[in-house]
Amino acid sequence: MTERDDLRTAPPEAEASPSPAPTGTGAPAWVSATTPAVFVLLWSSAFIAAVIGTDAAPPLLLTFSRFAVAGLLLTLVALVVKSPWPKGKPLLHVVVTGLLMQAVQFGAFYTAIGAGLPGGVVALIQGFNPVLIALMAGFVVGERITRQQWLGFAVGGSGVALAVAGALDFSTGAIVLSFVGLLGLSVGTVYQKRFTQGVDVVSGTALHFLASAPVMLVLTLALEDPEVTDWGAFGGSLAWIVLINSVGTFLLLNFMLKKQAASRVGTLFFLTPAVTALLAWLVIGQTLNPPAIAGLVLGGAGVLLAARK
């Protein structure tokens, strides 16, 4: 039986059961239990760092710098721990995944933020990710989506739509770009779940960045004036984005995708808008209007419905 057959015919219990990691031993139970909460907090912080970074440098330059530094750092880690590197067709799948989840997603998100769209609003748009993942995972990966999960997706998606509706006074182009970034993340997540399950997490994530960096370099040279206006803010933002968001969150994301169904991992993105809004208020003083707050409440209710067994 092929890997495709396994994914399509596995019962619901098998979909969420842990699969052996390519390297190392299995993680302790408390690590798996706390990983989702840590992931949501760290992923949400990326939007705050992006606001600070795009105030100090053009968005595509920031994106290129993120990919280049993170790719080199993770390559060194992979060499030290002797992670196996994919070859042939698996390598091609890893490159495609990286371009979708990194270049498309963050190139679009950072450009939208650089155009003035608040980081919290971008996080709200990204909250549609579970809905798109659920739709694609059912057809591509063969994961079974329950009625309760669909109800949770509907409630959560309605909450995100309500919150985004309160931000339509911003640039329409920036909002469109945010949805382009959302599409890159969603397609990349399902593609990774379907085609790169056997790839080592460290080397695979390193290749995501290494494949995306040249694309961003060409774009920043062609479309921007790559000049940094505030090196302190740029350096601090880049350090946080690379060490915490690029390396930490994507290793956690890849780890969770190996342990759980893609649709269940996707529900975590319903929580990021609320956490991002809280961080934006605490760190940079951004606030949300009443429709956005109501949308966050609906989004939280949706994730509770979708995540319950």
Side-chain angles (χ1 to χ4, degrees):
M1 181 178 291
T2 64
E3 180 185 359
R4 175 177 296 181
D5 295 329
D6 288 338
L7 286 170
R8 288 183 174 175
T9 60
E13 294 80 8
E15 292 172 7
S17 62
S19 58
T23 58
T25 59
W30 67 268
V31 173
S32 297
T34 58
T35 295
V38 174
F39 171 79
V40 170
L41 179 62
L42 297 185
W43 187 278
S44 300
S45 71
F47 296 99
I48 312 305
V51 172
I52 298 173
T54 54
D55 282 341
L60 296 180
L61 175 61
L62 177 65
T63 312
F64 161 70
S65 302
R66 166 182 181 160
F67 294 162
V69 177
L72 292 175
L73 179 61
L74 270 182
T75 297
L76 292 176
V77 173
L79 293 175
V80 169
V81 301
K82 298 181 179 179
S83 298
W85 294 85
K87 300 177 181 179
K89 186 176 291 187
L91 174 61
L92 177 62
H93 289 316
V94 170
V95 170
V96 172
T97 301
L99 291 176
L100 289 169
M101 296 184 70
Q102 302 294 338
V104 175
Q105 179 190 185
F106 289 105
F109 281 164
Y110 282 12
T111 303
I113 291 174
L117 196 64
V121 175
V122 177
L124 294 174
I125 293 174
Q126 191 192 65
F128 280 105
N129 183 52
V131 177
L132 294 184
I133 285 180
L135 291 173
M136 291 183 290
F139 292 103
V140 179
V141 185
E143 293 177 359
R144 178 176 175 268
I145 309 300
T146 66
R147 291 183 179 180
Q148 180 173 293
Q149 282 182 300
W150 281 116
L151 177 60
F153 295 150
V155 173
S158 299
V160 174
L162 176 62
V164 171
L168 293 181
D169 55 333
F170 293 97
S171 168
T172 303
I175 293 178
V176 171
L177 276 173
S178 294
F179 278 102
V180 171
L182 163 66
L183 187 61
L185 171 62
S186 301
V187 175
T189 300
V190 176
Y191 190 95
Q192 173 171 282
K193 182 71 176 177
R194 173 65 185 86
F195 293 108
T196 67
Q197 281 293 282
V199 175
D200 181 84
V201 171
V202 178
S203 60
T205 308
L207 287 171
H208 288 179
F209 296 128
L210 294 177
S212 300
V215 176
M216 290 298 106
L217 176 60
V218 172
L219 290 177
T220 187
L221 292 176
L223 303 177
E224 297 177 333
D225 179 14
E227 180 181 356
V228 178
T229 58
D230 186 339
W231 280 101
F234 178 78
S237 172
L238 181 61
W240 183 269
I241 289 173
V242 168
L243 297 177
I244 303 300
N245 303 133
S246 295
V247 178
T249 58
F250 273 90
L251 288 177
L252 290 176
L253 178 60
N254 290 341
F255 172 79
M256 289 188 297
L257 286 173
K258 288 180 177 294
K259 300 294 183 180
Q260 303 178 35
S263 57
R264 190 168 296 277
V265 173
T267 60
L268 294 175
F269 290 94
F270 273 141
L271 298 176
T272 58
V275 177
T276 301
L278 178 60
L279 291 176
W281 174 64
L282 291 174
V283 178
I284 56 179
Q286 287 184 349
T287 58
L288 294 176
N289 54 28
I293 295 174
L296 294 178
V297 174
L298 279 178
V303 75
L304 290 177
L305 281 173
R308 286 184 59 192
K309 294 183 180 180

